[in-house]
Amino acid sequence: MTAAVEILLSTYNGGAYLEELLISLARQDYPNLKVTIRDDGSTDNTLEIISAFNDRLTLRVIQGANLGPCGSFFELIRNADPDADFYAFCDQDDVWLPGKISRAVAFLANETAGQPLMYCGRQLITDKALNVRCRSDMPTRPAQLGNALVENIATGCTVVINRHARNLLLDRLPAPENIVMHDWWLYLVVSALGKVVFDSEALILYRQHGSNSIGFHNGLARWRARLQRLLFENSRRKLKKQALCFLTAYDDLLNDATKKLITHVFDNGSSLMSKIKILFLDGSIYRQCSRDSFYIRLLLMTGK
């Protein structure tokens, strides 16, 4: 029997691009697919567009108050079908290529069963008219906890998780204000307590426009944006808050080495020597770019 996949889509005033996304979902080549949509308080024609697809997609629509992207996706996780085998996260302004779900399921089916699993991958970065500008980067270092603590490589619209991962997340979802973004939280949890697989193929047209919650930069602008985020005090504070929130939420499932790593790096009470050892000698904390790794290690070492 074909594994059941549930697409989790959060919408908010998505009238401009939503129809193109829903058409692309209807064109997926995977046979056992349904879509759960949570509308986050739209005031435009979003719900009318969705209703026009009742005969093309297996749809369930939840209407709620405006919670923002993190809160809305967490509600989708809570309200997802517990009997689905896989859960795919979806943004309202992208376009999926037909083989996106079937490829993700094939990737996850090749992994050892019985553990939390997460699939993510690259994107074709486009302008608002879907003209392709570039392909997002392929990570050069492992998708593991040491990376997830300080960087998110799991862009939400590419993410597919299995039922074990949803169950791991379900009872310990944090308050949105305690994390950076929902997809980063998923990456952090599954990288620590399961396995993350990254696909080198790009199966999403990732549309960039003025209303993106999270945008994509290329070339010099991209490097400048990354550096600004690293040096911006509020961004660093959120990293620390998210890491300590994770430690509190999953303390009973983490081994001593993982607890020590998080505590020594993110707790301002740790000694300078212990931080130097972990950050510069062990190399346990890293970003995909070596320059970014150096800067973030320096900031963490100084308690910034």
Side-chain angles (χ1 to χ4, degrees), residues 66-168:
N66 184 258
L67 301 176
C70 290
S72 189
F73 274 107
F74 283 166
E75 284 300 302
L76 279 164
I77 292 172
R78 290 188 182 97
N79 287 280
D81 182 352
D83 296 323
D85 297 292
F86 300 103
Y87 306 88
F89 294 81
C90 185
D91 290 344
Q92 66 184 8
D93 42 13
D94 301 324
V95 169
W96 290 16
L97 301 185
K100 179 193 183 303
I101 291 297
S102 56
R103 184 172 173 89
V105 170
F107 259 71
L108 295 174
N110 283 332
E111 299 298 327
T112 303
Q115 63 174 327
L117 294 171
M118 174 194 226
Y119 164 97
C120 53
R122 302 172 77 182
Q123 315 100 55
L124 294 169
I125 313 302
T126 78
D127 60 20
K128 64 181 180 180
L130 297 180
N131 298 304
V132 177
R133 293 165 48 197
C134 62
R135 190 183 303 259
S136 65
D137 292 338
M138 179 71 189
T140 58
R141 304 195 65 182
Q144 295 176 355
L145 176 65
N147 181 228
L149 285 167
V150 294
E151 181 179 22
N152 180 31
I153 63 169
T155 304
C157 58
T158 72
V159 166
V160 181
I161 61 174
N162 68 352
R163 191 187 304 166
H164 293 287
R166 178 195 177 246
N167 291 340
L168 179 66

Side-chain angles (χ1 to χ4, degrees), residues 3 9-10 73 86-87 124 147 177 188 215 242 247 276 298:
L9 167 61
S10 177
F73 274 107
F86 300 103
Y87 306 88
L124 294 169
N147 181 228
E177 60 268 21
L188 180 56
Q242 178 171 263
L247 179 61
I276 290 175
L298 185 63

Side-chain angles (χ1 to χ4, degrees), residues 5-11 18 21-22 24-26 28 32-38 50 53-54 56-62 76 88 90 96 101:
V5 178
E6 183 175 14
I7 296 174
L8 304 178
L9 167 61
S10 177
T11 58
L18 181 58
L21 167 72
L22 294 175
S24 75
L25 299 187
Q28 287 298 297
N32 192 0
L33 198 63
K34 64 181 179 181
V35 183
T36 295
I37 300 174
R38 182 188 182 277
I50 293 169
F53 281 81
N54 280 322
R56 300 179 63 181
L57 291 165
T58 303
L59 280 175
R60 176 166 62 110
V61 180
I62 303 167
L76 279 164
C90 185
W96 290 16
I101 291 297

Side-chain angles (χ1 to χ4, degrees), residues 195-235:
K195 184 175 182 182
V196 177
V197 293
F198 196 97
D199 190 356
S200 61
E201 292 295 317
L203 295 166
I204 282 188
L205 300 178
Y206 186 57
R207 194 196 307 260
Q208 296 295 285
H209 54 82
S211 301
N212 289 93
S213 293
I214 301 291
F216 180 91
H217 301 276
N218 198 20
L220 181 60
R222 185 179 179 193
W223 166 245
R224 184 168 58 247
R226 286 209 314 259
L227 185 59
Q228 286 173 342
R229 286 196 297 271
L230 283 174
L231 296 178
F232 186 45
E233 182 180 358
N234 189 49
S235 297

